[in-house]
Amino acid sequence: MSVELLTLLFFGSLLLFLFLGTPLVFTLGGISVIFLYFTMGPVGFYIVASKFWDSMMSFTLIAIPMYVYMAMLLEKSGVAHDLYRMMHVWFGAIRGGLAIGTVAICAIFAAMSGISGAAVVTMGTIALPRMLERGYDKRLAVGAINCGGGWGILIPPSILMVLYALLTEVSVGRLFASGIGPGILLFVLVSIYIGVRAWLQPSLAPALPVDERGDWTLKLSSLKAVLLPLLIVFLVLGAIFGGFATPTEAAALGVFGALIASAVHRRLSVAVLADAAMQTLRLTALIMWILFAAHAFSTAYTTLGANDLMNHMMSLIPGGQWGALAFMLLLLLILGMVLDPVGIMLITLPVFLPVVQANGWDPIWFGVIFIIMMEIGYMTPPFGFNLFYLKSVAPPDVTMSDIYWSVIPYVLVTFVGVLIVIMLPEIALYFPNLFFGPS
């Protein structure tokens, strides 16, 4: 059977079972195992098991449950309440200040947690009702939280980056460092958008009344709220970029910092530890199944000879290498609307990586672009995770329609950030080269 027909049957079967509602992990793993058996025989199973065993022996893999546990503890620690109070008194005096302060907290939370949902749920619970009470436009406020919450997978540490590094065999530390520049860029772009729109349409994001702004004594005392977050960020990122610890060892330091934060806020208890551990177990078990499916899929994909076929098809796209990149971004945007980011990673990376290598692109640079597109996937209808996180905690007067419409300007702003990173690769590569030397 020709490679073209095998590839068509392979991807056609995947799409069919996905549309039928079969869980992604079982679809990928099941279809891949079936095709492996009919193309390689029983030996294909040994190859998959061998690759899976190699992954299980990876020291980097230990970082995933540690970062998840850190995020679960931080979500319950009460750190976000103090941060929001600080942003309230410092940014509330300007139009759009509460929204800008909220996305700043999202960026800080991203540097502490490594996942998207933590910041979205926390800010949706704390910041959204306050902004609405003070006359903020629903869509402006909801969109800011939706967008800022997605930075959890871009600004280091990031669990999705750990998975990307495992699947592509690039350095986790370099990949973490590459998220700093684009993360700052997106924060600046989103803040500019909110500030300019609030200046042009003051009714959308009014400044706080004078009596709510706080004096300098209150402002200075509120700065204590950033001490614990800075401690956690320093423990994790400082240890990695300073060369004192691997990303896995730094994850353990992050858990230690989260425990300190919980204790300081008097939220540390056996019940909190047990609940966070149970949530971590569930998510980690899911990730392990995903890794198994990824190895089965990549093995089947390579065995079919689809690498050469996909490279040839990419070469036929008009526009050369930039046309191929534009096609990949479009495909990621479409898939992000209907699949979860990890699933997209499993399906597309075996297809994209040979193209990246053939064009001589830096896999770290491409990884940052890939992660930003996954961030867009988190907030785009109809199935973006952040949309449903927000709906679960938003006040009753915030409808699903409001949440859907709120993302449009923020998606456009994020796309501008993607284009800037594409045109200026140093934004993504400066910090990896600074901390780890040129690649």
Side-chain angles (χ1 to χ4, degrees), residues 184-200:
I184 295 172
L185 171 67
L186 291 181
F187 168 69
V188 171
L189 291 176
V190 171
S191 299
I192 290 173
Y193 162 73
I194 294 172
V196 170
R197 191 163 181 203
W199 179 68
L200 294 175

Side-chain angles (χ1 to χ4, degrees), residues 69-208:
Y69 194 54
M70 180 177 70
M72 296 299 106
L73 288 173
L74 286 170
E75 189 177 339
K76 305 171 188 302
S77 68
V79 169
H81 286 83
D82 288 347
L83 279 174
Y84 187 75
R85 194 178 304 114
M86 186 268 290
M87 294 297 179
H88 184 279
V89 298
W90 277 94
F91 289 88
I94 61 175
R95 296 174 186 172
L98 293 182
I100 295 173
T102 297
V103 295
I105 297 173
C106 288
I108 295 172
F109 235 74
M112 294 190 294
S113 66
I115 60 176
S116 173
V120 173
V121 172
T122 304
M123 288 297 97
T125 304
I126 300 171
L128 182 57
R130 274 71 174 180
M131 285 192 281
L132 297 180
E133 288 170 5
R134 287 156 178 79
Y136 270 61
D137 177 72
K138 287 190 291 186
R139 294 179 181 179
L140 179 75
V142 168
I145 296 173
N146 193 345
C147 181
W151 297 339
I153 63 171
L154 173 64
I155 299 175
S158 162
I159 292 173
L160 208 61
M161 282 187 173
V162 175
L163 283 175
Y164 179 93
L166 283 170
L167 295 174
T168 60
E169 299 181 352
V170 299
S171 165
V172 179
R174 294 187 70 89
L175 197 57
F176 276 3
S178 70
I180 298 175
I184 295 172
L185 171 67
L186 291 181
F187 168 69
V188 171
L189 291 176
V190 171
S191 299
I192 290 173
Y193 162 73
I194 294 172
V196 170
R197 191 163 181 203
W199 179 68
L200 294 175
Q201 298 174 283
S203 62
L204 296 183
L208 290 179

Side-chain angles (χ1 to χ4, degrees), residues 258-312:
L259 289 171
I260 293 176
S262 298
V264 169
H265 288 84
R266 299 182 181 180
R267 301 286 183 88
L268 189 61
S269 66
V270 174
V272 167
L273 293 175
D275 185 43
M278 186 57 66
Q279 293 183 53
T280 300
L281 176 63
R282 289 172 181 155
L283 188 54
T284 304
L286 173 64
I287 291 172
M288 294 304 105
W289 274 106
I290 286 170
L291 278 177
F292 178 79
H295 286 305
F297 180 77
S298 62
T299 303
Y301 178 82
T302 305
T303 303
L304 294 176
N307 277 351
D308 294 335
L309 176 63
M310 290 298 176
N311 283 333
H312 177 66

Side-chain angles (χ1 to χ4, degrees), residues 333-402:
L333 175 64
I334 295 171
L335 290 176
M337 295 179 180
V338 295
L339 292 176
D340 67 278
V342 176
I344 297 170
M345 186 179 288
L346 298 183
I347 294 172
T348 59
L349 280 182
V351 181
F352 290 172
L353 284 178
V355 179
V356 172
Q357 295 166 354
N359 286 293
W361 293 329
D362 191 313
I364 299 292
W365 169 78
F366 180 78
V368 169
I369 296 172
F370 189 98
I371 295 294
I372 298 176
M373 293 304 299
M374 295 301 94
E375 175 193 323
I376 292 175
Y378 266 109
M379 63 178 179
T380 46
F383 300 123
F385 285 175
N386 288 356
L387 305 172
F388 300 104
Y389 291 150
L390 268 174
K391 182 56 182 172
S392 68
V393 297
D397 59 325
V398 177
T399 66
M400 203 67 205
S401 176
D402 290 326

Side-chain angles (χ1 to χ4, degrees), residues 58 83 104 414:
S58 171
L83 279 174
T414 305

Side-chain angles (χ1 to χ4, degrees), residues 232-253:
I232 296 170
V233 172
F234 176 76
L235 282 173
V236 177
L237 302 185
I240 296 173
F241 301 147
F244 303 109
T246 65
T248 303
E249 295 162 343
L253 292 174

